[in-house]
Amino acid sequence: MEVDQLQNAIKDLDLVEKLKFIANEFDGKIVFTTSFGVEDQVVTDLIFANDIDIKVVTLDTGRLFEETYKVFNFTIEKYKKSIKTYYPDTKSIENLVSQKGPYSFYESIENRKECCNIRKVEPLQRALKGMKCWVTGIRAEQSNGRTKMEMIEEDHGYGLLKINPLFDWTLDEVMNYLKGKNVPYNSLHHKGFLSIGCEPCTRAIQPGQDFRSGRWWWENNSGKECGLHTHGN
Ligand code: SF4
């Protein structure tokens, strides 16, 4: 089904029904990638609480916050469901750390992208292999580059359809949903961390700052992206 046809078919359905329709349409070839941010926790709840047939996976870079692992654990305990976890390729990460040490990403943008490629992008490629549809927790207001996004987009880079169920949600709507449904979320959220990635590369932001300004804060002009999404990760 083409993007337009799909959009038309689901336009009058509520969000859960939309996801069920899309899951049915892509029949086992649909995956949701979570990094346990607040938006991802909403999507996880939509999928798990409603038994929607969408595979939930995560990428463990090996450098995540302790608080993130706790959310991971609370989540699988709450829903009694498993989350398939992808790790970096052993040889690549051994070579990187052996040759450049554990903090090479602070030395140059090139080194930072090398680390992101090994720890995130290549595992993501494995997670998306054979899939036709990729569900994300991205919202349009999360950064300037994301304001033009739609719920259903074509991802030409990965050659699949991307579904962004929360594309038009505000942060308040996300938080109200989580609190209303008692969904676990990252305790760092209340300490100024609005976009939470790897621990050495994420810091808290001040009120009013761009959502992603706490990521790779030592870089000025890299676009603050790690290569996972056209719009960001
Ligand atoms: Fe490496 Fe930092 Fe990228 Fe994580 S965010 S993969 S630690 S460079």
Side-chain angles (χ1 to χ4, degrees), residues 61 63 105 112 115-116 119-120 198 200-201 216:
T61 64
R63 303 300 292 261
F105 38 81
R112 197 270 288 169
C115 185
C116 282
R119 293 183 190 272
K120 295 179 177 180
C198 293
C201 300
W216 309 297

Side-chain angles (χ1 to χ4, degrees), residues 61-64 93 96 102 104-106 111-121 197-202 215-216 218-219 226 233:
T61 64
R63 303 300 292 261
L64 303 178
I93 200 68
L96 174 70
S104 60
F105 38 81
Y106 289 140
N111 276 0
R112 197 270 288 169
K113 289 191 171 169
E114 179 184 34
C115 185
C116 282
N117 273 327
I118 292 171
R119 293 183 190 272
K120 295 179 177 180
V121 178
C198 293
E199 185 274 335
C201 300
T202 309
R215 305 287 292 276
W216 309 297
W218 65 93
E219 294 179 3
C226 65
N233 85 324

Side-chain angles (χ1 to χ4, degrees), residues 33 52 68 71 82-83 100 133 140 151 171 178-179 230:
T33 51
I52 303 176
T68 303
V71 181
S82 59
I83 295 177
K100 298 188 176 177
C133 192
M151 174 160 173
L171 182 58
L178 295 179
K179 287 170 187 166
T230 314

Side-chain angles (χ1 to χ4, degrees), residues 129-149:
K129 198 164 180 209
M131 294 291 126
K132 291 187 175 161
C133 192
W134 178 15
V135 181
T136 85
I138 300 173
R139 290 184 300 113
E141 73 167 16
Q142 278 173 312
S143 87
N144 292 338
R146 295 176 180 177
T147 51
K148 290 188 192 130
M149 69 188 299

Side-chain angles (χ1 to χ4, degrees), residues 29-69:
K29 303 277 186 199
I30 176 166
V31 64
F32 166 55
T33 51
T34 176
S35 54
F36 304 102
V38 287
E39 291 83 6
D40 288 345
Q41 288 301 93
V42 172
V43 180
T44 297
D45 182 77
L46 288 166
I47 294 171
F48 282 166
N50 296 291
D51 268 324
I52 303 176
D53 190 15
I54 297 174
K55 192 157 70 154
V56 179
V57 310
T58 192
L59 313 175
D60 186 346
T61 64
R63 303 300 292 261
L64 303 178
F65 285 90
E66 184 64 27
E67 289 86 344
T68 303
Y69 290 110

